[in-house]
């Protein structure tokens, strides 16, 4: 019996030592966690009674992760911009485009030079077209928050075109807009954004590194995603939860369409897929009860009746990835990388040209 206990103890000790050595090696050779440090102000999220949260003005944050090392600068208006740049001065003779959305519009995981709003601005400069672009993207926003933010910003900036970004994440998060004490408010939990302080998130580097390596394989990535609860937003027939979230999303989009129509403003929704959707469509190999294009198939026909131009970039991203096999997203982080942002910017540019000509 003593020999058995001694043997088990030695096995456990050796396992612990081996794991410690592996963890130490990964921390030294391939750090795999995320750290956020605020150089000025912080955190990025500022609590708001109507929107839940908004960007904190005059904040500079540096975020380091295995796939990127970037700086976020939020100007005095609460918009993502370039540090030390002149304050935004709108050209009264130019077309003004207001960009709404979540972290994909804000440009998370990328420097400001590598986000699609910047690429889009460059494209219009190359065209010789005077355009004001206001990046009002806020990390963590759902469609309800974007709708209320639009109504807040409209009177100040009087945009000619409103462009809002839609992702399946919005469908997951959307709740109907509620009226509290006569004020319309977005129902959302802002604690994760508002309370995010500086410092390193606790995590084992070795575990995070293993996840990163697994996500490098397309088939494994889609298979793992299909095991998560979010699979039901792509499965057929649709679940009750999907239908409930869809109804909430429809009412919010209809509200945005009506608001823009009443103000003689074009509303364009750019539907950007998650990485799972691109890999799933590109592989043509996965669970048969899933359909990566369901959100677009359901919402695009309805948008037309709400005076909304719905533009999906799923097929564009799939075509680019299939032909080049060049990553368009940060695999572990999930956001578009610089290449993906450029592809999206080109698609948006082509969409907006007819509106600018008109």
């Amino acid at each position: 019996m003593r020999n058995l206990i001694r043997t088990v103890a030695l096995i456990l000790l050796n396992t612990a030592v081996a794991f410690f050595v592996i963890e130490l090696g990964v921390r030294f050779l391939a750090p795999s966690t995320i750290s956020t440090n605020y150089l000025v102000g912080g955190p990025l999220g500022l609590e708001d009674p109507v929107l839940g949260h908004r960007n904190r003005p005059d904040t500079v944050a540096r975020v380091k992760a295995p796939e990127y090392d970037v700086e976020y600068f939020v100007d005095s208006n609460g918009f993502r911009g370039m540090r030390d740049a002149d304050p935004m001065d709108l050209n009264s003779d130019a077309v003004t485009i207001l960009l709404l959305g979540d972290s994909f519009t804000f440009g998370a995981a990328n420097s400001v030079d590598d986000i699609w709003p910047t690429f889009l601005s460059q494209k219009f400069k190359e065209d010789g077209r005077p355009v004001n672009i206001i990046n009002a993207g806020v990390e963590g926003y759902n469609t309800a928050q974007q709708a209320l933010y639009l109504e807040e910003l409209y009177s100040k900036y009087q945009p000619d075109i409103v462009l809002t970004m839609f992702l399946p994440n919005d469908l997951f998060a959307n709740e109907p807009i509620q009226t509290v004490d006569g004020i319309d408010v977005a129902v959302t939990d802002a604690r994760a954004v508002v309370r995010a302080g500086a410092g390193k998130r606790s995590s084992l580097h070795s575990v995070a590194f293993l996840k990163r390596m697994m996500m490098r394989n397309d088939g494994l990535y889609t298979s793992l995603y299909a095991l998560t609860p979010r699979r039901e937003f792509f499965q057929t027939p649709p679940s009750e939860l999907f239908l409930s979230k869809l109804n909430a999303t429809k009412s919010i989009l209809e509200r945005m369409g009506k608001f823009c129509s009443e103000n003689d403003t074009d509303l364009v929704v750019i539907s950007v897929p998650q990485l799972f959707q691109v890999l799933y469509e590109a592989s043509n190999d996965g669970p048969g009860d899933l359909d990566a294009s369901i959100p677009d198939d359901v919402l695009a026909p309805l948008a037309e009746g709400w005076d909304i131009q719905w533009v999906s970039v799923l097929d564009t991203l799939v075509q680019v990835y299939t032909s080049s096999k060049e990553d368009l997203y940060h695999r572990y982080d999930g956001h578009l990388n610089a290449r993906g942002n450029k592809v999206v910017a080109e698609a948006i540019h082509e969409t907006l040209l007819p509106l600018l000509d008109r």
Side-chain angles (χ1 to χ4, degrees):
M1 185 66 179
R2 290 181 178 179
N3 289 336
L4 177 60
I5 294 175
R6 187 182 299 110
T7 300
V8 172
L10 286 173
I11 291 175
L12 293 175
L13 177 62
N14 289 333
T15 301
V17 170
F19 182 81
F20 176 78
V21 171
I22 293 173
E23 174 69 14
L24 195 63
V26 173
R27 283 175 181 258
F28 180 74
L29 299 173
S32 297
T33 58
I34 302 171
S35 64
T36 302
N37 291 287
Y38 292 103
L39 309 180
V40 179
L44 279 174
L46 178 65
E47 193 168 358
D48 185 271
V50 172
L51 302 171
H53 70 281
R54 62 175 68 234
N55 290 331
R56 185 182 298 274
D58 300 314
T59 300
V60 182
R62 184 182 181 188
V63 182
K64 297 179 68 176
E67 297 169 297
Y68 55 85
D69 182 353
V70 298
E71 189 177 278
Y72 302 151
F73 168 68
V74 179
D75 66 19
S76 58
N77 295 305
F79 303 145
R80 176 88 188 267
M82 297 184 179
R83 195 175 183 184
D84 300 324
D86 294 331
M88 184 173 58
D89 184 18
L90 300 184
N91 180 353
S92 59
D93 296 325
V95 172
T96 298
I97 305 174
L98 175 63
L99 310 181
L100 300 167
D102 60 4
S103 54
F104 276 69
T105 301
F106 178 84
N110 293 273
S111 69
V112 71
D113 293 327
D114 292 329
I115 63 178
W116 67 263
T118 301
F119 289 136
L120 182 62
S121 180
Q122 292 171 348
K123 294 287 288 184
F124 285 131
K125 286 181 180 178
E126 293 170 4
D127 295 340
R129 295 175 180 269
V131 174
N132 300 314
I133 293 183
I134 303 170
N135 182 357
V138 181
E139 290 192 289
Y141 263 19
N142 58 30
T143 312
Q145 290 168 295
Q146 294 171 38
L148 294 176
Y149 202 24
L150 162 62
E151 294 171 14
E152 174 190 319
L153 296 175
Y154 185 86
S155 60
K156 182 176 181 179
Y157 297 105
Q158 296 288 312
D160 302 288
I161 300 171
V162 173
L163 191 153
T164 185
M165 185 163 278
F166 182 87
L167 287 97
N169 282 342
D170 299 313
L171 194 59
F172 306 153
N174 284 339
E175 296 287 347
I177 294 173
Q178 302 293 322
T179 302
V180 179
D181 297 330
I183 300 174
D184 288 346
V185 301
V187 179
T188 179
D189 185 355
R191 288 175 298 178
V193 179
V194 174
R195 297 179 184 176
K200 185 172 291 185
R201 302 176 188 177
S202 60
S203 176
L204 290 172
H205 288 240
S206 54
V207 174
F209 181 78
L210 178 60
K211 291 179 181 178
R212 287 172 52 204
M213 295 302 101
M214 294 172 67
M215 289 180 177
R216 296 302 308 169
N217 180 276
D218 291 4
L220 191 54
Y221 188 105
T222 55
S223 296
L224 290 173
Y225 188 96
L227 294 176
T228 68
R230 291 187 176 184
R231 67 169 283 127
E232 68 181 290
F233 289 90
F234 301 104
Q235 72 183 26
T236 52
S239 67
E240 291 185 7
L241 177 60
F242 175 88
L243 295 176
S244 172
K245 293 293 187 178
L246 178 63
N247 287 331
T249 301
K250 286 161 59 177
S251 66
I252 298 166
L253 288 172
E254 186 174 11
R255 174 175 175 147
M256 294 180 75
K258 182 179 180 181
F259 180 86
C260 287
S261 180
E262 290 174 348
N263 287 282
D264 196 25
T265 301
D266 289 303
L267 175 58
V268 180
V269 173
I270 304 297
S271 176
V272 176
Q274 291 182 308
L275 173 56
F276 157 77
Q277 294 168 271
V278 175
L279 297 181
Y280 187 86
E281 290 290 296
S283 68
N284 291 316
D285 182 25
D289 63 335
L290 299 185
D291 183 350
S293 63
I294 280 182
D296 289 321
D297 293 342
V298 173
L299 289 169
L302 298 173
E304 186 176 354
W306 303 324
D307 293 324
I308 298 174
Q309 183 176 350
W310 187 279
V311 180
S312 172
V313 295
L314 173 59
D315 289 343
T316 300
L317 290 169
V318 170
Q319 291 170 7
V320 172
Y321 180 69
T322 301
S323 61
S324 68
K325 287 301 178 182
E326 180 182 357
D327 274 337
L328 304 174
Y329 294 73
H330 294 297
R331 285 291 178 120
Y332 185 58
D333 173 84
H335 287 96
L336 293 166
N337 60 20
R339 173 62 175 144
N341 273 286
K342 184 169 289 188
V343 172
V344 169
E346 291 169 352
I348 294 174
H349 175 256
E350 293 301 314
T351 297
L352 295 182
L353 283 179
L355 298 181
L356 267 64
D357 289 337
R358 189 177 67 196

